[in-house]
Amino acid sequence: MTGLANTAIRPDLQLIADLIKPGTRVLDIGCADGELLDYLVKHKSVDGRGIEISQSGVNQCVARGLSVIQGDADNDLAEYPDHSFDTVILSRTLQAVRQPRSVLLELLRIGRKAIVTIPNFGQWHVRFSLLAKGRMPVTKALHRTWYNTENIHFCTILDLHDLIVQENINLLEFVPHQKDGKRLNMGLKRANMFADQALYLLEKPTG
């Protein structure tokens, strides 16, 4: 393709992009400025759509030529038919919605698969900061203070894993990683201690 000299995207977004099959239908919920969706459209030829809550984010996406509407994961997902996308992406957004369980189940109704990433509030820097300072943690991965953060549900890797098991969701792939995109080859408990973030590739069981 022409005009694609700069192909680099944020490392954690690249982990998501690597799981997307070319030519598929993709919905990116909370797509921000459209960085990931733009990459997928240009480099994986997906039929990509997006939902973004902020008007400025929608404007940036539209300026990129993307099909993005203003919407809210808590309220607007019911408008989509069952299995209308091959993959639905929710990147670093689950902890910011009002009803994370309902949103997670909606992802798996709309999409045949879902990719969910979360910041890990169980990481040791977060634990140590709260223990040592007695205040809500501010770290490199969680850089906003308690009064201006978008996060309203402080989820750890183990918390989300428990919800996945509770709802009988198939976990196809689990990728704990650092903010710079470096993968960590470790199990759930160690990842809960050391990973800044985690990626989950999910599928609802058939039948």
Side-chain angles (χ1 to χ4, degrees), residues 105-179:
L105 295 179
E106 280 291 273
L107 303 183
L108 291 165
R109 179 188 65 78
I110 297 168
R112 299 183 186 281
K113 292 183 174 64
I115 296 174
V116 177
T117 69
I118 59 164
N120 176 29
F121 289 91
Q123 203 259 9
W124 75 268
H125 285 107
V126 179
R127 301 188 198 194
F128 180 78
S129 178
L130 183 58
L131 178 65
K133 298 179 181 178
R135 292 178 172 83
M136 291 307 296
V138 177
T139 68
K140 289 182 179 179
L142 302 167
H143 58 275
R144 295 191 177 183
T145 56
W146 67 270
Y147 57 82
N148 67 0
T149 180
E150 69 277 12
N151 302 317
I152 58 177
H153 292 282
F154 298 95
C155 173
T156 72
I157 284 173
L158 291 179
D159 286 326
L160 183 51
H161 180 74
D162 289 346
L163 179 59
I164 290 167
V165 172
Q166 173 188 309
E167 298 300 328
N168 194 33
I169 296 168
N170 290 335
L171 176 57
L172 303 179
E173 192 159 349
F174 169 65
V175 184
H177 57 280
Q178 303 298 59
K179 189 179 180 184

Side-chain angles (χ1 to χ4, degrees), residues 32-43:
D33 64 358
E35 181 180 4
L36 174 61
L37 194 58
D38 186 57
Y39 178 92
L40 293 174
V41 169
K42 290 178 177 175
H43 298 280

